Amino acid sequence: MQKVKLSENLEISRLTHGHWRALDWKLSEQELLKLTEQVVELGITTFDHADLYGNFECEKLFGKVLNLNKELRNEIQIVSKCGIKPLSNKFPNRQIGFYDYSFEHITSSAEKALRNFKTDYIDLFLLHRPSPFFDPEEVAKAFSHLIKSGKVLHFGVSNFTPQQFDMLNTFVEEPLVTNQVEISPYCLEHVDNGNLDFFLQKKIKPMAWSPLAGGKLMNPQTEKEHRIHETLRKIADELNVDSLDKIVYSWLLKHPSGIIPIIGSGKIERIKKAVASMDVSMNLEQWMEIYVAARGEKLP
Amino acid sequence: MQKVKLSENLEISRLTHGHWRALDWKLSEQELLKLTEQVVELGITTFDHADLYGNFECEKLFGKVLNLNKELRNEIQIVSKCGIKPLSNKFPNRQIGFYDYSFEHITSSAEKALRNFKTDYIDLFLLHRPSPFFDPEEVAKAFSHLIKSGKVLHFGVSNFTPQQFDMLNTFVEEPLVTNQVEISPYCLEHVDNGNLDFFLQKKIKPMAWSPLAGGKLMNPQTEKEHRIHETLRKIADELNVDSLDKIVYSWLLKHPSGIIPIIGSGKIERIKKAVASMDVSMNLEQWMEIYVAARGEKLP
Amino acid sequence: MQKVKLSENLEISRLTHGHWRALDWKLSEQELLKLTEQVVELGITTFDHADLYGNFECEKLFGKVLNLNKELRNEIQIVSKCGIKPLSNKFPNRQIGFYDYSFEHITSSAEKALRNFKTDYIDLFLLHRPSPFFDPEEVAKAFSHLIKSGKVLHFGVSNFTPQQFDMLNTFVEEPLVTNQVEISPYCLEHVDNGNLDFFLQKKIKPMAWSPLAGGKLMNPQTEKEHRIHETLRKIADELNVDSLDKIVYSWLLKHPSGIIPIIGSGKIERIKKAVASMDVSMNLEQWMEIYVAARGEKLP
């Protein structure tokens, strides 16, 4: 599998495995170990987490898995995120879900992640969402502190606009290496808000969450979902491809900005389809047909 | 009271007094003198004006007040604005309200302000609103002319977008020192349009007009106003604070961009509440509760 | 007629002639030659084309005209565009209209234009519309290739946002010299999206397509069209100007960004009116009255 260089010292795999729904996979630690080994075998060496995934249990579960095979940690890159303080039974006094980018919260979240993963470094640590209350100097201090101590190797953001990215990038010692955003034929938000143009300009490779739109494109309900689904099926037929997953992943992989999809499945068969999508060769007109179906009206 | 450095040579007070509604205060010159002295006593040394406030009468009234106590001028900073040509009985031939940023209008407005205030310099002069008809080279020439003659010490803008600010800043000799915009829990426009991020990036301290949303948050009528009012009341109770004004000012003052609220009241008691708000210590969750109430839906 | 410098080595005329609807003019080659000679006589030396105008026939027609008077080519500047692949009976296998900015398509489009115009260089070649699938490095390579071979002298874009312009400009060897966008009292899109501010900041002179909004302002149907029409008529009366065309062109020419209107008429009388509009001296209030009518609500 192709590697992608996010910065001088950080290479991740072109496809990544996301643990957002890892608890829903209902796998035992041994089963998750086996899945992880198979995934790494396929060349997918990058694992996407966040503190709050699975009500704060996913990082821990993966830590236990890594503990079962001590070699694994050296073969993989761990991505995690912090900043969202959600309503949760774990924080009974909290009155609303909100965001916290204080020095204290960023550094303690990273340290908690180290304990959860039973590791001594996080490869890539992201701010989960932009906040209306954001002190870039304080954030930059937290990043510097964590880099100096070796606890975090690289930083990025998630769901930021171009301006928010640029703003924080002005303050940090080491440039931000990625912006993880939602991209799929179902969600064109970051095409429309200028983020993809910004990524091209700044040569930033985005990570894409929900590349399959949570299954909505496979089991369409709404008019929009049906419209996209039909087009995916048409292109799959033309290309003689046996699965719509492959068409969607191929659509993302073909884009010039170098989108890195996060595969959120716990089933090795579906992950293999994602890998196989790298062999699909869709032409420009087919790519555009999917885009136009996603957009819902023809191009001007 | 804390001072805020807007540029190498310009310090203003963290809270400022706004004369937008000064005629509505129905104060005699002596009464306004007394109020002004009390305000300065509190450490609020910066006074916000515009040519057209009070149908072009507010600058003159303040000039008469300054004339009654010749010491005052040396203790204060005067902010004024130009550029709006409104419909007014003073300009009976005008057919519409519009904006004028010609060399002639900018320079003659500044000179008129000097006569009105009976002073020989304006500390900070702002362009009141962005215009679709705007020649930045001509504006820059007017600024240079006024700075060279000592009539205006510093320039800024009001109600500009990040791009409009950046555009004009490319042409002016001395960097623009502020952008005065509407910010309150009622008006999140400049959070949503990227201006607060821009201010953080460029280290520009914004002035905030209508911080209390013209009383709408104290005497709520609409669903939105009630929603925000209830949250302000909840936080006031939690903090054992006796007035919602204090909560709103504290919300603005706490923001990392260094927002400088403009207090628009003619009652010394309300102004004292604003000053007292500097002692309120709201926590991040409380700040976010007000933001979420303002926004009208929970955070993603 | 005034010349406008778009870059060190490219001057075009302040007014330009657009061949978008050239087939609808129903002129013989001899008649179009005569019109072209008259237009050049008026000082309008720049001709705006695109590959797909007239279902891919307009470039060829103009090439035949240029062939009838070999002197003409040296007196004029040719602007053309590529990138849109429309549905057309000329491309029966195409399934949707889409955009193609591959190296191959850009270079072959330029070469086709040379054959169509029977010339060995294009003065200015534009990318017709921004695309969601856009590789700026590949585009930059195509531009360099065409410049090195002398086939295209200068490049620009059309209908791009400020960010898209900036993005591509980061990659190209020679800076982009213009952005051709729709501007008229009917279409304020590029006032509202920040493009006019961007043009002022970067000192880019925009070309304006559909300056008369396709006749909608002369023969109003909708409420908006009537509103603008009435205001144009009022200003025409005030200025004692005999045609609304002149008012609209004057409105565009007066703007500080240096808008270059594209005249789309095949009638020499209407083109003369456009030229005569350069003598109309509208004042700022009149300019603003038209803007406010276009906007549909008074200024804040």
Side-chain angles (χ1 to χ4, degrees), chain C residues 144-193:
Chain C
S144 292
H145 174 80
L146 288 166
I147 285 176
K148 253 173 223 127
S149 60
K151 290 172 181 168
V152 173
L153 305 189
H154 303 276
F155 284 97
V157 294
S158 188
N159 306 301
F160 273 44
T161 64
Q163 189 169 49
Q164 289 160 341
F165 188 101
D166 226 26
M167 182 262 278
L168 178 55
N169 223 9
T170 304
F171 289 88
V172 292
E173 250 178 273
E174 304 280 331
L176 302 169
V177 304
T178 194
N179 188 358
Q180 183 179 120
V181 297
E182 185 179 6
I183 317 178
S184 75
Y186 188 78
C187 174
L188 299 179
E189 176 184 346
H190 296 277
V191 181
D192 297 334
N193 73 2

Short mmCIF file of all heavy atoms in Angstrom, two decimals, chain C residues 144-193:
data_model
loop_
_atom_site.label_atom_id
_atom_site.label_comp_id
_atom_site.label_asym_id
_atom_site.label_seq_id
_atom_site.Cartn_x
_atom_site.Cartn_y
_atom_site.Cartn_z
N SER C 144 2.86 26.46 -18.71
CA SER C 144 4.29 26.64 -19.03
C SER C 144 4.60 26.11 -20.42
O SER C 144 5.31 26.74 -21.20
CB SER C 144 5.15 25.89 -18.00
OG SER C 144 5.04 26.51 -16.75
N HIS C 145 4.05 24.94 -20.72
CA HIS C 145 4.27 24.32 -22.02
C HIS C 145 3.78 25.24 -23.15
O HIS C 145 4.47 25.45 -24.15
CB HIS C 145 3.54 22.98 -22.07
CG HIS C 145 3.58 22.30 -23.40
ND1 HIS C 145 4.66 21.58 -23.84
CD2 HIS C 145 2.67 22.27 -24.40
CE1 HIS C 145 4.42 21.12 -25.05
NE2 HIS C 145 3.21 21.51 -25.41
N LEU C 146 2.60 25.82 -22.97
CA LEU C 146 2.02 26.66 -24.02
C LEU C 146 2.74 28.01 -24.13
O LEU C 146 2.86 28.57 -25.22
CB LEU C 146 0.52 26.88 -23.76
CG LEU C 146 -0.35 25.63 -24.00
CD1 LEU C 146 -1.74 25.80 -23.41
CD2 LEU C 146 -0.44 25.31 -25.50
N ILE C 147 3.22 28.51 -23.01
CA ILE C 147 3.97 29.77 -23.05
C ILE C 147 5.32 29.54 -23.72
O ILE C 147 5.74 30.32 -24.59
CB ILE C 147 4.13 30.36 -21.63
CG1 ILE C 147 2.79 30.99 -21.19
CG2 ILE C 147 5.24 31.40 -21.59
CD1 ILE C 147 2.78 31.53 -19.77
N LYS C 148 5.99 28.45 -23.33
CA LYS C 148 7.31 28.17 -23.91
C LYS C 148 7.23 28.02 -25.43
O LYS C 148 8.12 28.46 -26.16
CB LYS C 148 7.88 26.89 -23.29
CG LYS C 148 9.03 27.22 -22.33
CD LYS C 148 9.51 26.00 -21.59
CE LYS C 148 9.74 26.35 -20.12
NZ LYS C 148 9.04 25.46 -19.20
N SER C 149 6.16 27.38 -25.90
CA SER C 149 6.04 27.16 -27.34
C SER C 149 5.51 28.40 -28.05
O SER C 149 5.35 28.40 -29.27
CB SER C 149 5.11 25.97 -27.59
OG SER C 149 3.84 26.24 -27.05
N GLY C 150 5.19 29.44 -27.30
CA GLY C 150 4.71 30.68 -27.91
C GLY C 150 3.26 30.63 -28.35
O GLY C 150 2.75 31.57 -28.97
N LYS C 151 2.56 29.54 -28.04
CA LYS C 151 1.19 29.39 -28.52
C LYS C 151 0.21 30.27 -27.75
O LYS C 151 -0.80 30.70 -28.28
CB LYS C 151 0.77 27.92 -28.45
CG LYS C 151 1.51 27.06 -29.47
CD LYS C 151 1.25 25.58 -29.28
CE LYS C 151 2.04 24.76 -30.31
NZ LYS C 151 2.05 23.32 -29.99
N VAL C 152 0.48 30.46 -26.47
CA VAL C 152 -0.35 31.35 -25.65
C VAL C 152 0.59 32.34 -24.97
O VAL C 152 1.63 31.95 -24.45
CB VAL C 152 -1.13 30.55 -24.59
CG1 VAL C 152 -1.85 31.50 -23.63
CG2 VAL C 152 -2.14 29.59 -25.25
N LEU C 153 0.20 33.62 -24.97
CA LEU C 153 1.09 34.64 -24.38
C LEU C 153 0.79 34.88 -22.90
O LEU C 153 1.70 35.14 -22.13
CB LEU C 153 0.97 35.96 -25.16
CG LEU C 153 1.23 35.86 -26.67
CD1 LEU C 153 1.30 37.26 -27.29
CD2 LEU C 153 2.51 35.08 -26.97
N HIS C 154 -0.50 34.79 -22.52
CA HIS C 154 -0.88 35.08 -21.14
C HIS C 154 -2.06 34.20 -20.74
O HIS C 154 -2.85 33.82 -21.58
CB HIS C 154 -1.27 36.55 -20.98
CG HIS C 154 -0.20 37.49 -21.40
ND1 HIS C 154 0.83 37.86 -20.58
CD2 HIS C 154 0.04 38.10 -22.60
CE1 HIS C 154 1.65 38.67 -21.24
NE2 HIS C 154 1.20 38.82 -22.46
N PHE C 155 -2.15 33.95 -19.42
CA PHE C 155 -3.24 33.13 -18.90
C PHE C 155 -4.06 33.86 -17.84
O PHE C 155 -3.54 34.72 -17.11
CB PHE C 155 -2.70 31.83 -18.30
CG PHE C 155 -2.28 30.83 -19.34
CD1 PHE C 155 -0.95 30.73 -19.72
CD2 PHE C 155 -3.23 30.03 -19.96
CE1 PHE C 155 -0.56 29.82 -20.69
CE2 PHE C 155 -2.85 29.11 -20.93
CZ PHE C 155 -1.51 29.01 -21.31
N GLY C 156 -5.30 33.47 -17.75
CA GLY C 156 -6.18 33.98 -16.72
C GLY C 156 -7.25 32.95 -16.43
O GLY C 156 -7.17 31.80 -16.88
N VAL C 157 -8.26 33.36 -15.67
CA VAL C 157 -9.35 32.45 -15.32
C VAL C 157 -10.68 33.17 -15.49
O VAL C 157 -10.71 34.38 -15.76
CB VAL C 157 -9.22 31.94 -13.87
CG1 VAL C 157 -7.97 31.07 -13.72
CG2 VAL C 157 -9.20 33.09 -12.87
N SER C 158 -11.74 32.43 -15.30
CA SER C 158 -13.07 33.00 -15.39
C SER C 158 -13.95 32.37 -14.32
O SER C 158 -13.88 31.15 -14.10
CB SER C 158 -13.64 32.74 -16.80
OG SER C 158 -14.85 33.42 -17.00
N ASN C 159 -14.73 33.18 -13.67
CA ASN C 159 -15.70 32.69 -12.67
C ASN C 159 -15.07 32.05 -11.45
O ASN C 159 -15.71 31.25 -10.76
CB ASN C 159 -16.68 31.70 -13.32
CG ASN C 159 -17.36 32.28 -14.55
OD1 ASN C 159 -18.04 33.29 -14.45
ND2 ASN C 159 -17.16 31.68 -15.70
N PHE C 160 -13.82 32.38 -11.16
CA PHE C 160 -13.14 31.84 -9.99
C PHE C 160 -13.45 32.69 -8.75
O PHE C 160 -13.68 33.89 -8.85
CB PHE C 160 -11.61 31.83 -10.21
CG PHE C 160 -11.09 30.60 -10.90
CD1 PHE C 160 -11.74 30.06 -12.00
CD2 PHE C 160 -9.92 29.97 -10.47
CE1 PHE C 160 -11.25 28.92 -12.65
CE2 PHE C 160 -9.41 28.83 -11.11
CZ PHE C 160 -10.09 28.31 -12.20
N THR C 161 -13.43 32.07 -7.58
CA THR C 161 -13.48 32.81 -6.32
C THR C 161 -12.08 33.35 -6.01
O THR C 161 -11.09 32.89 -6.61
CB THR C 161 -13.92 31.92 -5.15
OG1 THR C 161 -12.92 30.91 -4.96
CG2 THR C 161 -15.27 31.26 -5.40
N PRO C 162 -11.98 34.28 -5.05
CA PRO C 162 -10.65 34.76 -4.66
C PRO C 162 -9.73 33.60 -4.26
O PRO C 162 -8.56 33.55 -4.66
CB PRO C 162 -10.94 35.65 -3.45
CG PRO C 162 -12.32 36.18 -3.70
CD PRO C 162 -13.05 35.03 -4.35
N GLN C 163 -10.25 32.64 -3.49
CA GLN C 163 -9.40 31.55 -3.03
C GLN C 163 -8.95 30.66 -4.18
O GLN C 163 -7.80 30.19 -4.21
CB GLN C 163 -10.15 30.73 -1.99
CG GLN C 163 -9.24 29.72 -1.33
CD GLN C 163 -9.89 29.10 -0.14
OE1 GLN C 163 -11.04 28.63 -0.20
NE2 GLN C 163 -9.18 29.08 0.97
N GLN C 164 -9.83 30.40 -5.14
CA GLN C 164 -9.46 29.56 -6.27
C GLN C 164 -8.39 30.26 -7.12
O GLN C 164 -7.45 29.63 -7.60
CB GLN C 164 -10.70 29.25 -7.12
CG GLN C 164 -11.64 28.28 -6.41
CD GLN C 164 -13.05 28.31 -6.95
OE1 GLN C 164 -13.47 29.26 -7.62
NE2 GLN C 164 -13.82 27.27 -6.65
N PHE C 165 -8.55 31.58 -7.29
CA PHE C 165 -7.57 32.37 -8.03
C PHE C 165 -6.21 32.30 -7.34
O PHE C 165 -5.18 32.02 -7.97
CB PHE C 165 -8.06 33.82 -8.10
CG PHE C 165 -7.24 34.70 -9.00
CD1 PHE C 165 -7.67 35.02 -10.28
CD2 PHE C 165 -6.03 35.24 -8.57
CE1 PHE C 165 -6.92 35.85 -11.11
CE2 PHE C 165 -5.27 36.05 -9.39
CZ PHE C 165 -5.71 36.36 -10.66
N ASP C 166 -6.23 32.55 -6.05
CA ASP C 166 -5.01 32.55 -5.25
C ASP C 166 -4.32 31.20 -5.30
O ASP C 166 -3.11 31.10 -5.38
CB ASP C 166 -5.40 32.84 -3.80
CG ASP C 166 -4.49 33.87 -3.17
OD1 ASP C 166 -3.93 34.69 -3.90
OD2 ASP C 166 -4.37 33.85 -1.94
N MET C 167 -5.12 30.15 -5.22
CA MET C 167 -4.59 28.79 -5.24
C MET C 167 -3.84 28.54 -6.54
O MET C 167 -2.65 28.19 -6.52
CB MET C 167 -5.75 27.80 -5.08
CG MET C 167 -5.35 26.35 -5.03
SD MET C 167 -5.56 25.52 -6.64
CE MET C 167 -7.32 25.14 -6.59
N LEU C 168 -4.49 28.77 -7.67
CA LEU C 168 -3.82 28.50 -8.94
C LEU C 168 -2.62 29.42 -9.12
O LEU C 168 -1.55 29.00 -9.59
CB LEU C 168 -4.80 28.66 -10.11
CG LEU C 168 -4.19 28.44 -11.50
CD1 LEU C 168 -3.49 27.09 -11.61
CD2 LEU C 168 -5.26 28.58 -12.58
N ASN C 169 -2.77 30.67 -8.68
CA ASN C 169 -1.69 31.66 -8.83
C ASN C 169 -0.42 31.23 -8.09
O ASN C 169 0.69 31.64 -8.45
CB ASN C 169 -2.16 33.02 -8.33
CG ASN C 169 -1.74 34.15 -9.25
OD1 ASN C 169 -1.24 33.92 -10.34
ND2 ASN C 169 -1.92 35.37 -8.80
N THR C 170 -0.59 30.40 -7.06
CA THR C 170 0.56 29.90 -6.29
C THR C 170 1.41 28.95 -7.13
O THR C 170 2.59 28.77 -6.86
CB THR C 170 0.04 29.14 -5.04
OG1 THR C 170 -0.80 30.02 -4.30
CG2 THR C 170 1.17 28.67 -4.16
N PHE C 171 0.80 28.34 -8.13
CA PHE C 171 1.50 27.29 -8.87
C PHE C 171 2.03 27.73 -10.23
O PHE C 171 2.97 27.13 -10.74
CB PHE C 171 0.58 26.08 -9.07
CG PHE C 171 0.31 25.33 -7.80
CD1 PHE C 171 -0.74 25.68 -6.96
CD2 PHE C 171 1.13 24.26 -7.42
CE1 PHE C 171 -0.97 25.00 -5.78
CE2 PHE C 171 0.90 23.57 -6.24
CZ PHE C 171 -0.15 23.95 -5.42
N VAL C 172 1.44 28.75 -10.83
CA VAL C 172 1.80 29.10 -12.20
C VAL C 172 3.08 29.92 -12.26
O VAL C 172 3.39 30.67 -11.34
CB VAL C 172 0.66 29.87 -12.91
CG1 VAL C 172 -0.53 28.95 -13.13
CG2 VAL C 172 0.23 31.10 -12.10
N GLU C 173 3.81 29.76 -13.36
CA GLU C 173 5.07 30.49 -13.55
C GLU C 173 4.84 31.98 -13.71
O GLU C 173 5.53 32.80 -13.13
CB GLU C 173 5.77 29.96 -14.82
CG GLU C 173 7.01 29.16 -14.56
CD GLU C 173 7.58 28.66 -15.88
OE1 GLU C 173 7.16 27.57 -16.34
OE2 GLU C 173 8.41 29.36 -16.45
N GLU C 174 3.90 32.32 -14.60
CA GLU C 174 3.55 33.71 -14.85
C GLU C 174 2.23 34.00 -14.16
O GLU C 174 1.27 33.26 -14.36
CB GLU C 174 3.37 33.96 -16.36
CG GLU C 174 4.55 33.59 -17.21
CD GLU C 174 5.61 34.68 -17.18
OE1 GLU C 174 5.23 35.85 -16.99
OE2 GLU C 174 6.81 34.34 -17.34
N PRO C 175 2.14 35.08 -13.37
CA PRO C 175 0.89 35.36 -12.66
C PRO C 175 -0.31 35.45 -13.59
O PRO C 175 -0.20 35.94 -14.72
CB PRO C 175 1.15 36.73 -12.02
CG PRO C 175 2.62 36.88 -11.97
CD PRO C 175 3.18 36.09 -13.11
N LEU C 176 -1.44 34.97 -13.12
CA LEU C 176 -2.70 35.10 -13.85
C LEU C 176 -3.01 36.58 -14.05
O LEU C 176 -2.82 37.38 -13.12
CB LEU C 176 -3.84 34.44 -13.06
CG LEU C 176 -3.63 32.96 -12.73
CD1 LEU C 176 -4.68 32.49 -11.71
CD2 LEU C 176 -3.70 32.13 -14.00
N VAL C 177 -3.49 36.96 -15.24
CA VAL C 177 -3.64 38.40 -15.49
C VAL C 177 -5.06 38.92 -15.34
O VAL C 177 -5.26 40.13 -15.27
CB VAL C 177 -3.08 38.80 -16.87
CG1 VAL C 177 -1.62 38.38 -17.01
CG2 VAL C 177 -3.92 38.21 -18.00
N THR C 178 -6.04 38.05 -15.31
CA THR C 178 -7.41 38.54 -15.09
C THR C 178 -8.31 37.41 -14.62
O THR C 178 -7.93 36.23 -14.65
CB THR C 178 -8.02 39.15 -16.38
OG1 THR C 178 -9.20 39.91 -16.02
CG2 THR C 178 -8.42 38.09 -17.39
N ASN C 179 -9.49 37.80 -14.14
CA ASN C 179 -10.56 36.87 -13.80
C ASN C 179 -11.81 37.44 -14.47
O ASN C 179 -12.23 38.55 -14.14
CB ASN C 179 -10.73 36.79 -12.28
CG ASN C 179 -11.69 35.70 -11.84
OD1 ASN C 179 -12.27 34.99 -12.66
ND2 ASN C 179 -11.87 35.55 -10.53
N GLN C 180 -12.34 36.72 -15.43
CA GLN C 180 -13.53 37.21 -16.14
C GLN C 180 -14.77 36.73 -15.42
O GLN C 180 -15.02 35.52 -15.34
CB GLN C 180 -13.52 36.72 -17.59
CG GLN C 180 -14.69 37.26 -18.39
CD GLN C 180 -14.69 36.81 -19.84
OE1 GLN C 180 -15.63 36.17 -20.29
NE2 GLN C 180 -13.64 37.11 -20.58
N VAL C 181 -15.56 37.65 -14.89
CA VAL C 181 -16.72 37.28 -14.09
C VAL C 181 -17.96 38.04 -14.55
O VAL C 181 -17.85 39.04 -15.26
CB VAL C 181 -16.48 37.55 -12.59
CG1 VAL C 181 -15.34 36.69 -12.06
CG2 VAL C 181 -16.19 39.03 -12.33
N GLU C 182 -19.12 37.57 -14.14
CA GLU C 182 -20.35 38.29 -14.48
C GLU C 182 -20.53 39.46 -13.52
O GLU C 182 -20.55 39.28 -12.30
CB GLU C 182 -21.55 37.34 -14.38
CG GLU C 182 -22.84 38.02 -14.84
CD GLU C 182 -24.06 37.09 -14.80
OE1 GLU C 182 -23.95 35.96 -14.31
OE2 GLU C 182 -25.14 37.53 -15.25
N ILE C 183 -20.61 40.66 -14.07
CA ILE C 183 -20.89 41.85 -13.24
C ILE C 183 -21.87 42.73 -14.01
O ILE C 183 -21.65 43.05 -15.17
CB ILE C 183 -19.65 42.71 -12.93
CG1 ILE C 183 -18.44 41.86 -12.56
CG2 ILE C 183 -19.96 43.70 -11.80
CD1 ILE C 183 -17.17 42.69 -12.29
N SER C 184 -22.92 43.12 -13.33
CA SER C 184 -23.89 44.07 -13.88
C SER C 184 -24.78 44.51 -12.73
O SER C 184 -24.74 43.92 -11.65
CB SER C 184 -24.75 43.38 -14.95
OG SER C 184 -25.69 42.52 -14.34
N PRO C 185 -25.59 45.52 -12.94
CA PRO C 185 -26.54 45.87 -11.87
C PRO C 185 -27.52 44.71 -11.59
O PRO C 185 -28.16 44.69 -10.56
CB PRO C 185 -27.28 47.09 -12.42
CG PRO C 185 -26.34 47.69 -13.42
CD PRO C 185 -25.63 46.51 -14.04
N TYR C 186 -27.59 43.77 -12.51
CA TYR C 186 -28.45 42.61 -12.27
C TYR C 186 -27.74 41.54 -11.46
O TYR C 186 -28.36 40.76 -10.74
CB TYR C 186 -28.92 42.02 -13.60
CG TYR C 186 -29.96 40.95 -13.41
CD1 TYR C 186 -31.28 41.29 -13.15
CD2 TYR C 186 -29.62 39.60 -13.47
CE1 TYR C 186 -32.25 40.33 -12.95
CE2 TYR C 186 -30.59 38.62 -13.26
CZ TYR C 186 -31.90 38.99 -13.01
OH TYR C 186 -32.84 38.03 -12.80
N CYS C 187 -26.43 41.45 -11.58
CA CYS C 187 -25.67 40.37 -10.93
C CYS C 187 -24.57 40.93 -10.04
O CYS C 187 -23.52 41.37 -10.53
CB CYS C 187 -25.07 39.45 -11.99
SG CYS C 187 -23.98 38.19 -11.28
N LEU C 188 -24.81 40.92 -8.75
CA LEU C 188 -23.84 41.45 -7.78
C LEU C 188 -23.03 40.34 -7.11
O LEU C 188 -22.35 40.57 -6.11
CB LEU C 188 -24.55 42.28 -6.72
CG LEU C 188 -25.32 43.51 -7.20
CD1 LEU C 188 -25.99 44.23 -6.04
CD2 LEU C 188 -24.39 44.47 -7.94
N GLU C 189 -23.09 39.13 -7.67
CA GLU C 189 -22.42 37.99 -7.04
C GLU C 189 -20.98 38.28 -6.65
O GLU C 189 -20.53 37.93 -5.57
CB GLU C 189 -22.46 36.79 -8.02
CG GLU C 189 -21.72 35.57 -7.52
CD GLU C 189 -21.69 34.45 -8.56
OE1 GLU C 189 -22.46 34.52 -9.55
OE2 GLU C 189 -20.89 33.50 -8.39
N HIS C 190 -20.25 38.93 -7.55
CA HIS C 190 -18.82 39.13 -7.28
C HIS C 190 -18.52 40.39 -6.48
O HIS C 190 -17.37 40.68 -6.18
CB HIS C 190 -18.03 39.07 -8.59
CG HIS C 190 -18.14 37.71 -9.22
ND1 HIS C 190 -17.34 36.66 -8.83
CD2 HIS C 190 -19.01 37.20 -10.12
CE1 HIS C 190 -17.68 35.59 -9.51
NE2 HIS C 190 -18.70 35.88 -10.29
N VAL C 191 -19.57 41.16 -6.18
CA VAL C 191 -19.44 42.15 -5.12
C VAL C 191 -19.60 41.42 -3.79
O VAL C 191 -18.80 41.58 -2.87
CB VAL C 191 -20.53 43.25 -5.25
CG1 VAL C 191 -20.35 44.28 -4.16
CG2 VAL C 191 -20.51 43.87 -6.63
N ASP C 192 -20.62 40.58 -3.72
CA ASP C 192 -20.98 39.93 -2.47
C ASP C 192 -19.98 38.86 -2.02
O ASP C 192 -19.81 38.61 -0.84
CB ASP C 192 -22.38 39.29 -2.59
CG ASP C 192 -23.46 40.35 -2.83
OD1 ASP C 192 -23.25 41.50 -2.43
OD2 ASP C 192 -24.50 40.01 -3.43
N ASN C 193 -19.32 38.19 -2.97
CA ASN C 193 -18.41 37.10 -2.58
C ASN C 193 -16.98 37.58 -2.35
O ASN C 193 -16.07 36.77 -2.19
CB ASN C 193 -18.44 35.96 -3.62
CG ASN C 193 -17.74 36.33 -4.92
OD1 ASN C 193 -17.19 37.41 -5.05
ND2 ASN C 193 -17.75 35.41 -5.87
#
